[in-house]
Amino acid sequence: MLRKNFALFLVLLFTSPLFAQNSAEILLNLKKLQTTGSVLYIAAHPDDENTRLLAYLANERKLRTGYLSLTRGDGGQNLIGTEQGEPLGLIRTNELMAARGIDKAEQFFSRAYDFGYSKNPEETFGFWNRDSILADMVWVIRTFKPDVIICRFPTTGEGGHGHHTASAILAEDAFEAAADPKRFSHQLQYTQVWQAKRLLWNTFNFGGNNTTSEDQLKVDVGNYNVLMGRSYGEIASESRSMHKSQGFGSARQRGFNLEYFKHMKGDVATTDIMDGVDVNWTRIAMSQGIQAELNECVFNYRADAPEKTVAMLVSIYKKIEALKEDGASISYWKKIKLEETKQLILASSGFYGEAVSNDHSVVPGEQFQITTNYIFRNNVNASLKSIVYENGDSTVNAKLDINKLYSPKHLFKLTTNAAFSNPYWLNEKHSLGEFEISPWTTIGKPLNDAACAVILKAEIEGLPLEIKLPIQYKFTDPVKGEIFRPLEVLAPVTFTQKQKALVFNERKERVVEVIVHSNQTNAKGQIVINAGADWKVECDNCAFDLSAKNTEQVIRLRITPSAKALTGELQIAAKINGKEYNQSMQRIDYDHIPNQFILSPAKFQLVFSDIKMIRKNIGYIDGAGDGVAASLEQIGCSVTMLSDEEILTGDLSKYEAIITGVRAYNTNDRMIVYYDRLMEYVKNGGNLLVQYNTNNRIGPLKSKIGPYEFTISRDRVTDEKAKVNFLLPEHAALNQPNKITDADFANWIQERGIYFTQAPDERYQKIFSMADPGEGALDTSTIVAAYGKGNFVYTGLAFFRQLPAGVPGAYRIFANLISLPSHP
C-alpha cells in the first residue's frame, strides 16, 4: 500500500478542479514531455529560493524542477498578521505552493522546524538532529532523482543565517549518502539509491555580499517565454511576491540576467549546469519511437485545435506504458511521463472536472452529498465507464457528448474512523528542532492529501484513464466570485480560544470565554474541565445544546488562582455520548492562499506572577500585527487601538502610555505624519514605547522614530537563555514598579531580541547588555531617553513573542518600561 501511495507522490498531480489549459500551456507542456532531465534546488526557508532560476529551469529548459526547503519558516516574522510559530509555518507553506503554481516548479520539505534565527550551523545542529534531517534530504533526492542539485548557500557562512549554512553542509552529505546503499537503507524498501551528476552553489550578490565572479559558470536566465507571455524575471517577480507574510513583493525584471554557479561536488561542468546529462528520451532504452512521435506531435500541434493532438498522445501513452522498467531511472521516468501525457490528453480534450460537497465540513460517519461535474469541450471520442466512490462504484458506460456538462449526485458516507483534517506535520507534539511525522514516508510532501476523492474511469480515443478528483467545497462569494476550499473532516464540536496563555497578576476570579462550535446537527453534551488543585475553575453553563450545524455557544469559565498557584494547565473537552473531544481550532484566512486551519489540544497555560502596573490606560498604534495589546489587557490594562483621527486631533494626554506595534514604522505610511504629535505627547509627560522595526530594502523605515538620532541594525541575540546584564541597576526601568532580577529573563522563547539600535545619541540610556555564545556584548537592545516631561523607549526585545506565550518576567519588564516616571 505504501509503495502505491508513494508512486502518486512522485508525480506532480493536478489538484481539483481539473481545468483545461489554454493552447499555449498545452504546447509548453508538450515540449516538456520531450525532456527527461531534472534539477533539485535546496535551501533552508520559504523565500530562500531563486524564483527566477526555478522559472527558467522549469519552463525554458523544461526540466523537472523542485525546491526542497528544509523548514516551513515557522520562526520568521509576520508582516500581515499576528500568527507565529506553527500557524506562520502553515501560511508560508501555502505561500510557497502559490509561488510554485506560478513558476511551475515543485515543492518539498524536510521535518526540520524553524526555531528562529541562528548565527551559525553549530547552533542550528544543536536544535536539528543532523542525522534525521540528512535522512529526509536523502529521501527526497532518492525519490525525486535529480540529475543536478543546486544549493542557494555555501558551506562557508556567506549566507549569514546558520540555517542557510547548515542546508549546504547537509546537501554535501546528502549528495553522497543518497548513492550509498548502506546509508538509510530502510528507505530502499520504497525507492532506490541515486547518484546526482553534480552539486553546485548558485552564488549571489545581495545583502551587500557579492559571491559571484567572472570565472564561475554563468547562465543567462533573462529569456522571454513567448508561450507564457513573460520573461523569467517577470515570472520570478510574481512568484516571489507570493511571500507576502515576509514582505517580499518584487518588481518585474526584464532582459539579460546572469546566474552564477560554483562547483561543489561531482562532475565539473564547464559550459552548462547540465553538462554530461542526457535530457532527452535517448537516456531511456527502446524509446526512439517515442521521441520521434513526440517531435511530430509538437511540429503538427495546432493552437486552434489542440484536440487534433489527442490521437497521437494516446499512441505515445501506450508506447510509454509498454516500456520495460529496466532500472530505477527508466521506472521513474515512465511514471512521470505517463502522468504528464495523461494530463496533456485531458487538456487537449478540453476536459474540466470537479467533485464538490454540499458543505465545507463533515464528521466521521456522516452522510453528505457529492456533485461530480465533468465535461469534454473539444471534439474527442470520450466515454465514461464508471464513477468510483470510496463506498462503492456507480456504473455509467455512456458515450459523452461534446461540450455537455454532466453533474451526477451521490450520497457519500464518510467512514466512522476517518482521520480529522489537520496539517500532517502538526498531528504530533514536536521538539524545538523537528516535527514528529508518521508514517515517515510522508516526509517531503508539502501538504495533506485530500480527505477523500472521486475517481472517473474514462476512455478517451480507446485509452482507459483514471481521473482522480479530490472532493472539495465550492461556493460563490459576492465579491471574490467562485472559491474552492478543501473538505474538512472535524470532530462533532471544536473550540475557539482567544488566547493560549492566561496570565494573572492578582489572586482574583477572572471570567474567560471559550466558544464551542458545532460541526454537526444536534451537538449536545457537557464541558469537562481539569486544572489541578492550585487553580479553582468553575463553569456557569457547562451544558451545551446546539441543534443546528455551524452554531456556537459561549462557555464562561471562572478561574481563580489559589494562594500557592504559580503555573498550571487548564484542559477543556466536550463530552458527547460518553466520548470526549478536545480540539481547539485556529482558522487562517488570507486572500492570497487557500483557507487553512490548525487543530490542537484545547487547553490554556495558566501563569500567576507578581506583575505591578502603574500606567494602565494605554493607546496602541497597530503595526504589522502582534498580540501585545491583548496580553496587556490580561494584567488589567485598558488598551485603545488609536485611529488616524485620534492620533492627529484627539486628546492623547489621557493615555498614560502609547505603544507602537511591531514594525509600525515599516508598515504604516502615516507614522511620518504622526511624528510631531507623538513627540509633543512625550514632551508633555507621556511615555512612548516603540517595539522593533527593521531598516533594509524589504522593510525600510517610513519615518524618524525618536526625539534623538539612532539607526536600526540587524544586531540580535538569538540565544533565548543568554545572560542579561543590567547596565544601570538603579534605573527606574529595573526597579519601578517591579524589581527586575535575573529570574525575569528565565523561560524566554526563541530569542532575546532582534533589530537592536545602532549609534544612539548620547542622550539615550542603555539598560541591558547581552551576547550570543562566542560574541561580544550588545548594549543597544533597549534605549531610553527623557524628552521634556516624558520618556521615549525603543526596544528590540522580543516582547511580541514573550507576552502571548505567557512569560511572566517579560510582563514585569514591559510594565516597567511603560511606567517610567515623568520629569517635572
Side-chain angles (χ1 to χ4, degrees):
M1 185 65 177
L2 278 172
R3 189 180 297 273
K4 179 181 176 183
N5 288 344
F6 187 68
L8 292 176
F9 167 48
L10 277 173
V11 181
L12 179 62
L13 294 175
F14 287 77
T15 57
S16 177
L18 285 179
F19 293 99
Q21 301 167 11
N22 65 44
S23 286
E25 290 174 320
I26 294 172
L27 180 55
L28 179 61
N29 286 317
L30 275 172
K31 293 184 174 185
K32 287 184 179 181
L33 193 56
Q34 294 176 298
T35 307
T36 58
S38 57
V39 176
L40 181 65
Y41 201 85
I42 295 177
H45 310 107
D47 73 36
D48 283 346
E49 77 275 23
N50 184 337
T51 53
R52 183 173 55 220
L53 179 61
L54 293 181
Y56 167 84
L57 293 171
N59 302 290
E60 181 70 22
R61 303 296 292 273
K62 303 171 185 64
L63 303 167
R64 188 180 184 211
T65 304
Y67 173 45
L68 169 57
S69 174
L70 296 192
T71 77
R72 295 175 183 267
D74 324 79
Q77 284 102 50
N78 184 356
L79 200 64
I80 61 174
T82 61
E83 295 86 359
Q84 297 176 21
E86 293 92 342
L88 177 58
L90 182 58
I91 290 171
R92 298 185 71 184
T93 294
N94 280 275
E95 288 178 338
L96 270 180
M97 296 304 291
R100 297 296 80 81
I102 293 168
D103 58 39
K104 307 306 179 185
E106 299 173 52
Q107 186 61 52
F108 304 95
F109 292 96
S110 82
R111 78 187 92 170
Y113 180 71
D114 180 356
F115 56 84
Y117 191 87
S118 171
K119 292 186 175 179
N120 55 67
E122 292 77 22
E123 180 187 15
T124 298
F125 290 130
F127 286 87
W128 294 353
N129 181 310
R130 181 168 177 166
D131 203 50
S132 297
I133 309 308
L134 176 61
D136 297 352
M137 297 176 75
V138 168
W139 172 245
V140 172
I141 291 170
R142 284 173 172 173
T143 52
F144 187 77
K145 295 183 172 29
D147 295 308
V148 173
I149 301 173
I150 301 174
C151 290
R152 169 79 283 190
F153 303 105
T155 61
T156 45
E158 291 90 336
H161 201 314
H163 297 179
H164 294 169
T165 306
S167 72
I169 293 171
L170 288 169
E172 282 198 330
D173 291 347
F175 178 82
E176 296 180 347
D180 186 348
K182 296 179 181 179
R183 305 287 301 276
F184 311 110
S185 57
H186 65 284
Q187 298 177 359
L188 301 181
Q189 181 181 355
Y190 309 107
T191 187
Q192 308 82 25
V193 294
W194 184 257
Q195 179 62 71
K197 189 77 169 177
R198 63 181 57 89
L199 176 67
L200 301 171
W201 167 29
N202 178 202
T203 59
F204 50 80
N205 180 10
F206 54 73
N209 193 2
N210 186 1
T211 61
T212 66
S213 66
E214 290 307 309
D215 62 345
Q216 294 172 359
L217 185 64
K218 296 183 285 293
V219 176
D220 175 19
V221 299
N223 312 53
Y224 174 72
N225 188 312
V226 65
L227 295 178
M228 301 181 82
R230 292 163 292 170
S231 67
Y232 298 114
E234 292 171 300
I235 296 169
S237 166
E238 294 176 22
S239 174
R240 192 161 186 76
S241 293
M242 296 311 299
H243 295 295
K244 298 184 188 303
S245 67
Q246 304 306 294
F248 270 26
S250 302
R252 293 179 174 86
Q253 296 180 347
R254 301 170 180 88
F256 181 81
N257 212 313
L258 288 178
E259 290 292 342
Y260 294 76
F261 302 89
K262 188 172 182 179
H263 180 77
M264 293 179 70
K265 280 184 176 292
D267 290 0
V268 177
T270 57
T271 60
D272 183 75
I273 61 174
M274 302 301 289
D275 275 358
V277 178
D278 187 348
V279 298
N280 298 305
W281 278 84
T282 49
R283 74 188 294 168
I284 299 174
M286 308 299 293
S287 66
Q288 294 88 343
I290 296 173
Q291 183 77 65
E293 200 162 354
L294 273 170
N295 294 343
E296 184 182 353
C297 190
V298 171
F299 181 80
N300 291 322
Y301 178 74
R302 285 180 52 186
D304 62 340
E307 67 274 14
K308 301 292 186 184
T309 309
V310 172
M312 191 169 289
L313 284 170
V314 167
S315 173
I316 291 167
Y317 187 98
K318 291 177 179 178
K319 286 183 172 63
I320 298 172
E321 195 174 35
L323 286 172
K324 292 184 178 180
E325 298 185 23
D326 294 334
S329 180
I330 295 177
S331 176
Y332 166 82
W333 282 112
K334 178 178 177 179
K335 288 184 177 72
I336 297 297
K337 295 303 178 182
L338 278 174
E339 185 63 29
E340 289 181 4
T341 308
K342 180 175 85 171
Q343 298 301 339
L344 279 165
I345 291 170
L346 293 173
S348 299
S349 300
F351 174 78
Y352 174 90
E354 63 185 23
V356 295
S357 64
N358 62 341
D359 204 342
H360 75 277
S361 69
V362 293
V363 301
E366 181 180 353
Q367 185 170 267
F368 61 101
Q369 183 174 278
I370 299 169
T371 302
T372 305
N373 297 310
Y374 55 91
I375 183 172
F376 284 85
R377 290 171 287 192
N378 286 340
N379 188 10
V380 294
N381 181 19
S383 60
L384 186 65
K385 301 303 179 184
S386 64
I387 304 175
V388 181
Y389 304 96
E390 291 185 14
N391 58 346
D393 293 9
S394 175
T395 303
V396 179
N397 284 329
K399 188 179 186 308
L400 301 179
D401 294 333
I402 299 168
N403 203 31
K404 179 180 178 180
L405 180 67
Y406 295 84
S407 302
K409 299 183 186 301
H410 178 80
L411 284 177
F412 187 101
K413 187 172 183 178
L414 199 63
T415 59
T416 56
N417 62 348
F420 296 133
S421 301
N422 203 37
Y424 77 88
W425 62 95
L426 297 179
N427 281 331
E428 304 293 337
K429 186 176 180 180
H430 63 84
S431 69
L432 285 176
E434 60 190 61
F435 295 108
E436 295 293 328
I437 295 177
S438 178
W440 65 264
T441 48
T442 57
I443 291 170
K445 292 175 60 172
L447 294 170
N448 290 24
D449 293 331
C452 41
V454 169
I455 295 175
L456 304 181
K457 289 192 173 183
E459 192 172 281
I460 303 173
E461 299 296 346
L463 177 68
L465 289 177
E466 290 191 357
I467 307 168
K468 187 175 183 180
L469 301 175
I471 299 173
Q472 294 187 315
Y473 176 63
K474 181 175 75 169
F475 65 101
T476 303
D477 182 277
V479 175
K480 302 172 186 176
E482 189 173 84
I483 294 177
F484 288 85
R485 58 190 284 183
L487 178 67
E488 302 168 0
V489 180
L490 301 173
V493 297
T494 47
F495 294 98
T496 302
Q497 303 170 240
K498 291 182 180 179
Q499 308 95 5
K500 290 290 189 179
L502 300 177
V503 178
F504 293 75
N505 61 339
E506 295 180 304
R507 298 191 185 278
K508 295 180 180 179
E509 180 182 285
R510 181 191 301 175
V511 177
V512 175
E513 293 184 348
V514 179
I515 296 172
V516 59
H517 179 98
S518 66
N519 300 308
Q520 66 174 31
T521 58
N522 299 318
K524 183 177 181 179
Q526 290 284 130
I527 300 298
V528 180
I529 52 179
N530 180 21
D534 291 343
W535 297 81
K536 179 183 176 183
V537 183
E538 297 178 324
C539 180
D540 291 333
N541 53 338
C542 275
F544 60 90
D545 188 354
L546 301 168
S547 59
K549 185 175 182 178
N550 294 321
T551 56
E552 297 180 340
Q553 181 175 321
V554 176
I555 305 297
R556 292 177 175 84
L557 304 175
R558 293 185 284 114
I559 307 171
T560 310
S562 70
K564 60 179 181 178
L566 291 175
T567 60
E569 184 176 90
L570 169 56
Q571 300 173 344
I572 310 169
K575 193 171 187 177
I576 303 174
N577 297 327
K579 188 172 182 179
E580 292 187 2
Y581 302 92
N582 70 334
Q583 294 177 329
S584 180
M585 175 182 284
Q586 179 180 355
R587 286 206 176 271
I588 300 169
D589 190 10
Y590 293 100
D591 285 346
H592 68 296
I593 58 175
N595 184 285
Q596 304 289 317
F597 66 89
I598 293 175
L599 298 176
S600 60
K603 61 185 180 180
F604 290 103
Q605 176 190 352
L606 302 174
V607 177
F608 176 84
S609 181
D610 182 20
I611 306 166
K612 298 181 179 67
M613 296 293 300
I614 294 176
R615 303 196 179 204
K616 297 184 178 182
N617 189 19
I618 309 298
Y620 206 91
I621 301 174
D622 214 358
D626 58 65
V628 171
S631 299
L632 293 176
E633 290 177 332
Q634 291 202 55
I635 56 171
C637 291
S638 173
V639 182
T640 301
M641 305 306 290
L642 298 180
S643 66
D644 185 82
E645 182 180 3
E646 185 163 11
I647 295 171
L648 293 178
T649 63
D651 178 14
L652 297 182
S653 66
K654 65 184 179 183
Y655 299 109
E656 296 172 290
I658 293 177
I659 300 166
T660 65
V662 298
R663 297 179 74 166
Y665 289 83
N666 301 134
T667 60
N668 190 338
D669 291 330
R670 301 288 290 169
M671 294 308 295
I672 191 170
V673 179
Y674 302 156
Y675 177 78
D676 289 340
R677 282 280 287 166
L678 292 175
M679 291 302 104
E680 178 185 20
Y681 164 78
V682 176
K683 196 172 184 178
N684 291 335
N687 282 353
L688 174 64
L689 184 147
V690 175
Q691 296 183 79
Y692 93 92
N693 289 268
T694 65
N695 191 18
N696 53 39
R697 179 186 63 83
I698 296 169
L701 291 174
K702 298 181 182 294
S703 170
K704 183 180 178 182
I705 297 178
Y708 313 118
E709 292 297 323
F710 65 87
T711 58
I712 296 174
S713 71
R714 293 184 61 84
D715 289 344
R716 64 184 70 203
V717 172
T718 62
D719 182 357
E720 67 272 25
K721 299 178 182 178
K723 168 68 176 173
V724 178
N725 300 303
F726 303 158
L727 301 179
L728 300 171
E730 304 305 317
H731 196 282
L734 298 173
N735 293 280
Q736 298 177 16
N738 303 289
K739 179 65 177 178
I740 304 304
T741 68
D742 289 344
D744 290 303
F745 283 96
N747 301 314
W748 281 44
I749 62 170
Q750 186 158 323
E751 60 209 353
R752 287 294 191 206
I754 54 179
Y755 298 106
F756 295 174
T757 64
Q758 188 176 50
D761 186 280
E762 61 183 13
R763 284 169 284 191
Y764 286 107
Q765 294 176 296
K766 301 171 184 177
I767 307 300
F768 306 110
S769 73
M770 58 196 75
D772 276 322
E775 295 187 358
L778 300 173
D779 60 5
T780 57
S781 69
T782 304
I783 57 173
V784 177
Y787 183 65
K789 296 179 181 180
N791 301 280
F792 171 85
V793 179
Y794 177 94
T795 181
L797 294 179
F799 291 112
F800 73 102
R801 295 195 194 279
Q802 314 309 321
L803 300 190
V807 178
Y811 275 87
R812 287 163 48 83
I813 297 165
F814 201 88
N816 282 16
L817 292 175
I818 63 175
S819 299
L820 295 173
S822 300
H823 310 284

